[in-house]
Structures are given as C-alpha cells and as structure tokens.
Amino acid sequence: MVAAINCPSCGATLKISDKQSRAACLYCNSTIQIERSHESAPTAVLESTLPEADMLRIKQLLLEGQRQAAENLYIQMSGASPQAAQEALADLGRKLSLDVVRHQQLTPPGILLVGVYALLILTGVLVLVSGRLHWLVGVLLALYGSWMLYFYYPALASTLEYRRGLPAQAEVLMLSEVGVAKLGRQRVHIFALLVDVHPDSGEAPYQAEMLLPVREKNVPRAKAGTSIHVRYLPDQPDKIIYQE
C-alpha cells in the first residue's frame, strides 16, 4: 500500500510504502527519515539536504533507467546503507523515466512526420509487390519507416489517448530539473513539475505531478508561478499532459 506524506522542507508530496523508512524529495533534494508509531500516521523528519549538483547526477541516472548506479551514487554522497538508498529513491525511480517523457503528445509537425513514415512503409510494400524497383529498395523503405514509427509510437499512443482528455490551466507550484535527454534530433531538458490544475469545466482545482521536456531556448521560462495548458483524463485526473 502506498501512502502520501509531505516533505518537511518544501511541502511537496512524497509517496511511501508501508515499511519505507527513508525518502528523498524530488524538488528540494532533502533526505527524509520516516518515523512511525501505532497511534498516528507516519511523520516525515528532515535528515539532510544533498548538494544540487549531486542530486542532479542521481536524477539523470534514474531518468536513464540506471537505478543501481543511482543508488550507488546516493550511498556515496549520503553515507546511507544500500537498503536505505533503495528506499529513499523508490518514489523518484517511479516518477523519473524516459518512457514517461516519450509519451508526450505529438505536435502538428510530429503528426506530419508520422504520416510520412507510414507512407514510407506503404511505398516499400508496394515496391516489393510491384517489382518495378529492386526489392532491396522496398525493404529499406519499409524498415526505415517501421523503425521511426516504433520511436514515435509512445507519443502517438498518448496523442490518441488524450483526445478524450479535458482541458485545464495548470499553475506551476514547484519544479526541478531532473536531467537532459535526446528526443529525436532535439536535446531537451527534463523538468519534474508539481502543478495546481484548474479544469476549464469549473471543477475544484487539485495538485498533480508531471514530467515536461523543455527545449534549450525555453529553459529560462521554466519557473514556478508560470501557467501552462494541460489536458487530463476524466477517469484519471492525476494523469496530465502538456498541451501546446
């Protein structure tokens, strides 16, 4: 069972399991001791704060899926035991993933590219069937188109899924840079955001978290207090996605 507590340093929400005794805050880089008693809910106690540069390295490793390397670095920087490091980074490991980043919605140029790659596959099949060109041309066209569609599939799936999503304005309450990734030909900075979601329908606002890729030129605009357009799923309101 997963419970939610607040970071004693910045107030961000932390999700912890029943037996977890330590956590790390994504936003202020604090290491938190979780104290439990039979009479009351778990209590978060600030233990220490790791240097921002060290935590950025740990977050980058988690983003790349290198959890063991991230835990080893955390042990080195904090002096924690292997078990404590595993517990501390458990929630961060769930939140930080390039797979999550790749599930952003396609922009209009992205949709056009998907159409081009689908057309390449069709052209390759037609070349093979007609025999008008060397069969290798058809194979190469079909393989290239298939490979690129495989890369874009997560974004395409999200674009289709969020067609039923509802629009909202989201105010950025907290944010933290968690690493840099290459999406297609672009190098982007990945930020974790804690946002206050205000549905356009007039429903009560609520808080949620999201990962947002930000192009290099837009990094200075990524700051608390800004407002962005998002879409959320009506049956899963905590699942939100950036809407350009």
Side-chain angles (χ1 to χ4, degrees):
M1 183 176 178
V2 177
I5 60 172
N6 295 108
C7 172
S9 178
C10 69
T13 301
L14 307 171
K15 293 182 179 179
I16 58 171
S17 62
D18 287 340
K19 297 181 180 180
Q20 190 170 335
S21 61
R22 185 182 295 230
C25 181
L26 179 61
Y27 300 98
C28 67
N29 305 325
S30 296
T31 296
I32 296 150
Q33 190 72 31
I34 301 166
E35 298 182 351
R36 301 174 185 274
S37 68
H38 296 293
E39 293 79 20
S40 60
T43 303
V45 178
L46 180 63
E47 189 174 74
S48 63
T49 301
L50 292 181
E52 185 173 354
D54 293 338
M55 276 301 293
L56 185 58
R57 289 169 60 195
I58 291 170
K59 293 171 187 175
Q60 178 75 50
L61 289 170
L62 290 172
L63 189 67
E64 296 171 354
Q66 301 184 52
R67 181 171 296 198
Q68 187 60 59
E71 291 176 5
N72 291 341
L73 183 57
Y74 184 84
I75 292 169
Q76 177 185 338
M77 298 302 174
S78 68
S81 68
Q83 178 65 28
Q86 186 178 25
E87 291 181 354
L89 299 183
D91 188 34
L92 267 63
R94 287 190 292 266
K95 293 175 180 175
L96 305 183
S97 167
L98 278 178
D99 186 57
V100 174
V101 175
R102 289 180 63 204
H103 278 78
Q104 300 297 313
Q105 289 191 97
L106 288 171
T107 60
I111 294 173
L112 179 61
L113 277 177
V114 167
V116 170
Y117 296 137
L119 186 59
L120 282 178
I121 297 173
L122 179 60
T123 302
V125 172
L126 291 176
V127 167
L128 289 171
V129 171
S130 66
R132 292 183 179 180
L133 296 174
H134 195 282
W135 65 269
L136 188 57
V137 174
V139 170
L140 291 176
L141 287 173
L143 285 177
Y144 180 73
S146 298
W147 170 250
M148 295 309 296
L149 277 186
Y150 171 77
F151 177 82
Y152 279 98
Y153 174 77
L156 178 60
S158 284
T159 301
L160 295 175
E161 180 182 23
Y162 279 88
R163 285 184 64 186
R164 65 184 181 90
L166 301 177
Q169 295 291 318
E171 180 187 355
V172 179
L173 301 176
M174 298 182 187
L175 78 165
S176 171
E177 184 172 359
V178 298
V180 178
K182 192 171 183 181
L183 297 180
R185 297 180 180 179
Q186 296 188 47
R187 182 174 179 270
V188 295
H189 294 252
I190 310 301
F191 284 84
L193 275 61
L194 176 65
V195 298
D196 204 19
V197 182
H198 296 261
D200 288 2
S201 61
E203 295 180 26
Y206 62 94
Q207 289 187 7
E209 289 184 292
M210 63 185 294
L211 289 185
L212 182 65
V214 178
R215 297 184 183 92
E216 193 91 39
K217 64 179 182 179
N218 293 330
V219 168
R221 296 166 54 189
K223 55 187 178 181
T226 57
S227 182
I228 59 176
H229 298 285
V230 298
R231 293 183 75 84
Y232 67 94
L233 298 180
D235 54 339
Q236 295 176 281
D238 60 323
K239 289 188 66 175
I240 60 174
I241 197 166
Y242 177 64
Q243 178 73 51
E244 291 191 7

